[in-house]
Amino acid sequence: MNEPKSEVREALLRATVKLFAEGGTKAASTRRIAKEAGVNEVTLFRHFGKKEDLICSAMRWFADQNRVEPLPADPLDPERELVDWCREHHQRMHKLRTLIRTCMADHLEHPDRNSPTLKMPVQVNNELYEYLLRVRASGLASGTWDARSAANMLMGALFSDAMGRDAMPERFPTASDDAIAQYVGLLLSAIGAKTEEGRSAKFEVRSA
């Protein structure tokens, strides 16, 4: 019995993402993609007219499969909510770090091909930015601060940690879960945020 078209198509997309992550365009040859997906090249070209179309479709498919989870519409405890959300986002980035690196390297030569994947960090940043605006509007943070800069600061810390922890372990001596809690603590302290109990968020500086 022939496999349904949707299953074959998804197998090809999944195989393309896997091989592209491992070695970029050269590694993701149509022959290797077809073999990884368990089909022949004729089937591949029947679903996707050419290799470029397949890679672009795979990047869009991958982005759709990895949409960011929303932060609470009504913030109650920014510390708990952000730590949980940031840990999930960090785990996803760390798991996908090889693909992210490949997409960034390939972007200069093929900006359109990787745009769906590279838009994912923008969507994540926007989700955090809008959440911080809600935190301020709800009275859970004080002072004058720029929400975009605050979001960029936390996202930068998470990205650096997720992408560099395995390559430069000396830069990240603290366990990832604890480090994320510290990044969030620094941000909340900077924006004068309060927890659910009404106390101001404080970041405890620990000596090495």
Side-chain angles (χ1 to χ4, degrees):
M1 180 181 294
N2 294 330
E3 289 185 279
K5 290 184 178 180
S6 60
E7 292 184 12
V8 173
R9 183 180 177 85
E10 182 170 329
L12 287 166
L13 294 171
R14 194 180 303 277
T16 301
V17 171
K18 178 179 182 295
L19 294 173
F20 183 81
E22 291 176 356
T25 303
K26 291 183 180 180
S29 67
T30 55
R31 180 183 60 80
R32 291 191 65 196
I33 292 170
K35 182 178 180 180
E36 178 73 23
V39 300
N40 56 47
E41 283 188 273
V42 173
T43 300
L44 183 154
F45 288 118
R46 188 180 299 127
H47 283 270
F48 303 94
K50 54 185 179 179
K51 177 180 173 179
E52 185 70 19
D53 292 341
L54 173 55
I55 294 179
C56 289
S57 295
M59 294 300 105
R60 287 194 297 270
W61 171 82
F62 179 80
D64 288 340
Q65 297 295 311
N66 289 273
R67 293 187 180 277
V68 62
E69 289 296 319
L71 280 156
D74 298 310
L76 295 175
D77 185 347
E79 184 176 33
R80 175 180 55 80
E81 293 162 0
L82 278 176
V83 167
D84 290 345
W85 185 81
C86 287
R87 282 175 176 164
E88 181 179 349
H89 178 54
H90 179 275
Q91 289 172 2
R92 182 186 298 111
M93 281 196 298
H94 186 70
K95 180 180 179 181
L96 302 175
R97 62 193 182 280
T98 302
L99 176 61
I100 294 171
R101 290 167 182 158
T102 302
C103 287
M104 292 180 69
D106 192 65
H107 181 68
L108 291 177
E109 187 174 354
H110 303 284
D112 293 337
R113 181 164 68 197
N114 293 295
S115 60
T117 305
L118 295 180
K119 283 180 181 177
M120 291 167 59
V122 177
Q123 295 168 351
V124 173
N125 189 287
N126 286 339
E127 178 66 28
L128 176 58
Y129 164 73
E130 291 170 2
Y131 172 79
L132 292 177
L133 292 178
R134 297 195 297 272
V135 167
R136 179 161 56 193
S138 67
L140 291 173
S142 60
T144 56
W145 42 272
D146 180 72
R148 181 63 70 184
S149 296
N152 287 341
M153 182 176 69
L154 182 54
M155 288 295 96
L158 292 174
F159 182 82
S160 176
D161 190 303
M163 302 300 291
R165 180 170 285 269
D166 58 340
M168 299 169 283
E170 65 278 3
R171 278 192 58 197
F172 306 96
T174 306
S176 60
D177 278 358
D178 293 336
I180 291 166
Q182 291 176 5
Y183 302 149
V184 171
L186 279 169
L187 172 68
L188 295 180
S189 179
I191 66 175
K194 296 180 179 179
T195 65
E196 188 175 19
E197 291 78 13
R199 59 184 171 80
S200 295
K202 294 181 179 179
F203 175 71
E204 180 182 354
V205 179
R206 301 175 183 176
S207 57

